[in-house]
Amino acid sequence: MSLNVSLAEKLDKIRSPNLKNQQQTAVVLAAIEDTLRDQRADSSSTAYFAAILALLGQCISSSTGVVNKELAAAVVYLLDLVTPYTPEPLLRTKFTLILSHLAPALTFQDAEAPLLRSAIGCLESLLLAQDKAAWMLPQSEIGPRRAVAGLLGLAIDHRPKVRKRALEALAAVLRSPPPSPALDHPAADMCAETSLRSLSDLAKAAGKKRKHQRGDQESHEPPLIHALQLVKTVALASTGWPSRKIEPLCEVLLSISRSSQQFLVMTAFEVFEAIFKGMADEISSSKLPHLLDAMSELRPSQNDAQLLPSWMAVMSRGYDVSAQLEPQDTFYKLPDLFEQVSSGLASSSHEIRISTSECLISFLANCVPEDVVLEPSIYDEKILEKLAKQATGLLSVKYQGAWMEVFKVLGSIFATFGRRAHPLLDEAVRIIGELRGSDSFNGEKEADEVLGIAVAEIGPDAVLQILPLNLANPRPGQAGRAWMLPLLRDRIYNTKLAHFKSEFVPLSEAMYQRVLDTTRAEKTMETKIYETVVQQIWALLPGYCGLPVDLVLAFDQGFAELLANLLYRQVELRADLCRALHMLVDTNRGVLSLDDEEDHLMKKTLVNKVDAQANIDHLAKFAGNLLAVLFNVYSETLPQHRGHILECINSYLSIAPKTELMDTFNKVTVMLESSLTESKPDAQAEREKTKKNSKDKMPTMSHTFMDLVITISIHLPRDCYATLFSMAALIIAKDDDAQLQKKAYKLIPRLTKSEDGKLALRERNPELQKLLLDSAEKTTSPARRDRLTAISTVVASLPKSDLSFIPSILAEVILSAKETNEKARTAAFDVLVMMGEKMQEGGKVRQSRIPNMPTDAPDVEASMEEYFKMVSAGLTGSTPHIISATITALTRILYQFRETLPDSLLTELVSTLDLFLTTNNREVVGSCFGFVKVCVISLPTVLMIPRLESIIPNLMAWSKEHKGRFKSKVKHIIERMIRRFGFDVVEKWCPQTDRKLIVNIRKSKERSRRKKAAGAADESEDEPSGRRRPAFESEFDEAIYDSDDSAASSADSNDGASAGARRSSKREKGNRAYIVEDEDEPLDLLDRNTLSHISSSKPQRAHRPGKKSKAKTDVDGKLIFGDSKGDKLDEADPMVLDSSTAAAPPRLATDSNEIGGIDAYMAAVKGKDAVQRGQRGRLKYKNKRGADAGDEMEVDDDDGGNDKAKNAESATTGARQQRRPQGRGGSIAVRSQRKGLGVEKARGARVEKSGRGSGTKFKVSKGGRGRR
């Protein structure tokens, strides 16, 4: 007998252990295998089992216990490994022997977790092998029940791994009962009884413990949680909890749910969930009614705020399962349940009311079958009527405190009953409407939500019959309900369009007449109110047009004429009218597009596919006239308001008859041709200029008609494509109107949205190729992107037999890769990739058809190598711009197709473009940087490492070039090289003179690594720790423009790191916005001048005069002006009359915080503010105006230099004044509005300056003349 494959694999892992704790097991296994070889026994699982069993008796004795813990752990581990592969008869025979040996290990107090887990695994295998007869033995004898009792004890062990293994073993045993007629496992009752007993005891102990604890102390009960997990495992593992044990279990679980510990409550509910889940099948579903009856009898007190919400949550889950198993019987019980649970809404506890409403909502959502609502029987209607009466009764005064929760329940019952809610819930609608209209009612939002659901389910006609608007002809004693108009707007769908005609059209006319009357009477406020009502009325029309049930009858000629007149006359209603007309077509087409699998979605609607098709046919009769109206309205509307009109036009073009469609197209074509002939170039330019100057100017008619042609194009039959293409060719050739040319190019990609258009593009592909090639020189810059999109459309439809268009147009596409417009560049890259994919598919390139090629040129097979050869031809261009564009194009297609190119082509490309790094043109070199970066990050290392010998020196030649950010780009590429190839490889080929950059990068990375390890990367909230990585449009953009976080932060001393930081801070500041707000009044966001209070710079607080400080004066009473530092100097020595005394010897420091005399002398001589001699012996000293300023002033020796040296301290003090001298020793201009604190304004005041140079004190004397 050969060894089992999986067992052999497990034993192989033990023979070569990777863990130290398996070394002892490997030694034991080696000894067993040596014994088997000596005895020449077969290496089967049975032989291993016998040998291990013999060894088990030596290390564990039933009398002395565990003899050797290490040996016992290894032996039991091997026994656990072998027993699953041992024949079951042998396991049944040796069960008593093995259990007697394992019992001491299971009861050993010092037993470690590995030994217990292995012993539990052995017991699991033994118990799975027992038959029914063995399970019938009592627990007092050595048998399976005693082993299960041991597992139950270990299932609540304090060690997590032991507990988990015991629960897994119990679950496996209970899920595999022995063959017998009974459904439950023979040990299920014992497990349920034991686990319930332990849970009950622990719950009582925990309750007593909580009584003796203080209120502020938290009680943690791990044993109770472990017992709950055991109950959960037993309930899930067996075929459901035993029926006679359900009631006591529910009682214990509900008492536990009363705990304040959330985890205990959650675990208790998980047990309930497990019980219900175990009963959600046909086998154990018979136990569910008994469980639900037991739960109903255990209903807590009405005011028990802790236990009642838990009970309701359990009941809602239980009846959810019951509705899945027995939907009809559960529905019949629903009225009694509703009455039993709804009494909780009268409770004074908010938690109970919330739980009650959620439970009722759950009952309504889960326990009412869909068939009962759609096709109810007589008895079902009685049940629905009873539920509706109970729900309406919740609006009584008894439940007034819970009306907010009642509204949620009513909303749920409206949604559940659907159209059956009328007339069952009409009284509820009336009561809610009266409450909503009351001024003292505070629940407007909740009431609006319920009424909105009612409108959606029973229709606006039924709701307005109960709650009329009372606007045109108000009934006596009833207020108007204009508040219902916004509520109706978003809830109307699949209703009667005739109701709008009969109810709202007359109301709109009456309201509009009042607008006219109040306008004549100059009542502005009333006019605005009535205009708003009119707009709200017509805002309802899109809802009525959403799949109406009576479209054929209601949408007649008169109604269509009314809509047409409103489109012409009422500009503010055009958006709603166009959306309504669009909804008529779109919703019916949506029904027709449903698959057979989605037909169930139409059960709740009143329109089927047959009705939808009839509606489409009816609307098609009005399509021609409506399109004419819409075209006229479109031509009279500003471009920024044309979107909804264009959507509506597109909808009716899709259903218009073929003849009317062609007639419409011919009319638009004729008008377009006439507008083109009438518009002269100079007049056209003048109109473009006028359009740029004002957004309210209408576009030219040629632009309008071209928009209409583009819209019609996808709906045209194939007969009209000849006219369409000729028109496009005519407009594309005109370069005097860029916008018109742009629209003409859009026509080609537009045709791909229809099947006929795709077929026409394939058939007329040669014509389109010629058109695009001939019009290349007349393409304007704004039309470049759309032209590239048209080129991609033509390339996609090229036949494989002739790909000559690709090399013919390739030069233009390559040059477009350097366009200023980003969208044009992106389109060019997409065309390059599409051309590459087309060439990769294969085919023939007929070179004889390429412009400027000889007619006898041979055909070439299309391939990727040939495509790269075509693109590389641009490297021989006559201008640097062409070469740069070619390199950029090669970079893009190299990144896209790098995995499919042969190594020889890649090597040739890299070596060729490496030479362009040596050119002196910055534009070419800049493109080469992108190519090199793509090569470094994407090409194989085996191919790139040999090329580094030439690439790195060529790159380093530009590392000192600051223009165009070349230095930072080179550094970033070198960093990517280091990251991929390593420091040593890059440093090897780096020139000796440029290795400082490599060293700087290495040190920067090490510094960054140390900071991250030390946790120094965390910064304050005001200064983010790192730059946000930008989002890229594609992988290619990320490869080219992405910069690693270390790329910008590791600049050397000569690099512009500080400048980069300043730019970064400027960007951060530029992205911020501040609200300039008055402290007395908050900013009104509805004010038109709100934007004037938004500032990009941080606003400064307005200075508010606080406590006036006493003005500083000298001994003569003259004012002294100075900054804080100067003030401190004067306060220290008030006898200083002139700055010349500042050169006096410094005082000795009498305080520990003051600077000493020697230190002050050294600071004056060698400090950062010390006087220094510059060129020609001139003295230099710091003239600081701020914390970071470093301006220096030169002083001539012959112009008071000695005085300056003497007055160094005075100079550093007075230089901080906020007035600038008008020359050396000149007079100082003082602003007339500034005066000293506490000093009255004096006329003719003079300013005296003591000392010369920048270190002066200013004195103001009133009356009289100042003196120097």
Side-chain angles (χ1 to χ4, degrees), residues 499-766:
H499 180 257
F500 182 85
K501 292 174 60 180
S502 61
E503 178 77 16
F504 289 104
V505 172
L507 179 61
S508 172
E509 294 174 353
M511 293 296 105
Y512 188 70
Q513 184 61 42
R514 293 186 184 182
V515 170
L516 299 178
D517 297 340
T518 54
T519 303
R520 285 192 294 266
E522 297 183 356
K523 297 180 179 179
T524 308
M525 182 60 67
E526 295 181 6
T527 301
K528 290 293 184 184
I529 293 174
Y530 290 130
E531 285 179 351
T532 303
V533 172
V534 171
Q535 292 178 6
Q536 290 179 343
I537 290 173
W538 286 101
L540 304 178
L541 183 58
Y544 277 97
C545 293
L547 205 64
V549 298
D550 57 346
L551 187 145
V552 176
L553 298 176
F555 195 87
D556 52 9
Q557 185 68 28
F559 189 64
E561 291 177 357
L562 173 64
L563 296 181
N565 292 330
L566 289 173
L567 282 171
Y568 280 124
R569 298 175 182 177
Q570 301 293 332
V571 179
E572 64 276 2
L573 301 181
R574 284 178 181 175
D576 292 325
L577 294 174
C578 290
R579 196 156 59 95
L581 292 172
H582 171 67
M583 289 284 289
L584 286 174
V585 178
D586 191 57
T587 53
N588 284 283
R589 292 184 65 185
V591 172
L592 293 175
S593 63
L594 291 176
D595 299 333
D596 295 337
E597 299 177 356
E598 299 174 338
D599 285 345
H600 65 280
L601 299 176
M602 295 188 298
K603 290 182 178 180
K604 293 185 178 181
T605 62
L606 302 178
V607 177
N608 53 30
K609 289 187 175 182
V610 177
D611 297 334
Q613 186 60 52
N615 292 339
I616 293 293
D617 296 339
H618 180 72
L619 290 173
K621 299 175 183 178
F622 299 91
N625 295 330
L626 285 175
L627 285 173
V629 173
L630 291 171
F631 285 170
N632 294 331
V633 173
Y634 183 84
S635 62
E636 298 172 358
T637 307
L638 293 173
Q640 58 267 30
H641 303 301
R642 287 178 168 180
H644 51 272
I645 304 177
L646 211 57
E647 283 186 2
C648 187
I649 290 174
N650 197 27
S651 298
Y652 283 89
L653 285 172
S654 63
I655 64 171
K658 183 178 179 180
T659 54
E660 292 186 5
L661 191 62
M662 294 182 66
D663 293 341
T664 303
F665 174 69
N666 293 331
K667 292 178 183 178
V668 175
T669 304
V670 171
M671 288 187 287
L672 176 60
E673 292 176 352
S674 61
S675 63
L676 289 176
T677 56
E678 291 175 0
S679 61
K680 298 180 180 179
D682 52 348
Q684 185 72 17
E686 184 67 24
R687 280 192 290 270
E688 289 292 331
K689 183 178 180 181
T690 306
K691 180 181 177 182
K692 292 180 181 179
N693 294 336
S694 177
K695 294 182 179 180
D696 296 334
K697 297 294 182 180
M698 294 293 296
T700 60
M701 293 304 296
S702 58
H703 292 184
T704 300
F705 291 134
M706 193 64 202
D707 289 337
L708 296 176
V709 168
I710 294 173
T711 306
I712 298 174
S713 60
I714 61 173
H715 305 288
L716 290 175
R718 295 182 61 184
D719 302 339
C720 299
Y721 282 139
T723 307
L724 191 66
F725 282 116
S726 61
M727 184 191 310
L730 176 65
I731 298 175
I732 286 175
K734 294 171 63 67
D735 57 354
D736 55 351
D737 192 341
Q739 293 299 321
L740 190 62
Q741 189 184 62
K742 185 177 180 179
K743 294 177 184 295
Y745 278 121
K746 287 182 178 179
L747 187 61
I748 298 175
R750 170 80 172 170
L751 294 177
T752 58
K753 296 183 179 181
S754 67
E755 295 299 328
D756 290 340
K758 293 178 182 179
L759 184 60
L761 288 176
R762 287 193 293 269
E763 292 177 351
R764 299 180 178 271
N765 198 277

Side-chain angles (χ1 to χ4, degrees), residues 1173-1179 1195 1197:
R1173 289 193 178 271
Q1175 295 179 356
R1176 301 180 183 178
R1178 294 179 178 177
L1179 292 177
V1195 182
D1197 290 340

Side-chain angles (χ1 to χ4, degrees), residues 105-141:
L106 295 173
T107 57
F108 185 48
Q109 295 182 354
D110 297 333
E112 297 179 353
L115 175 60
L116 290 177
R117 293 203 308 270
S118 301
I120 292 170
C122 296
L123 286 181
E124 177 185 350
S125 301
L126 290 172
L127 291 175
L128 290 174
Q130 303 305 306
D131 53 8
K132 181 182 178 182
W135 283 105
M136 297 306 295
L137 294 175
Q139 188 175 347
S140 57
E141 298 183 10

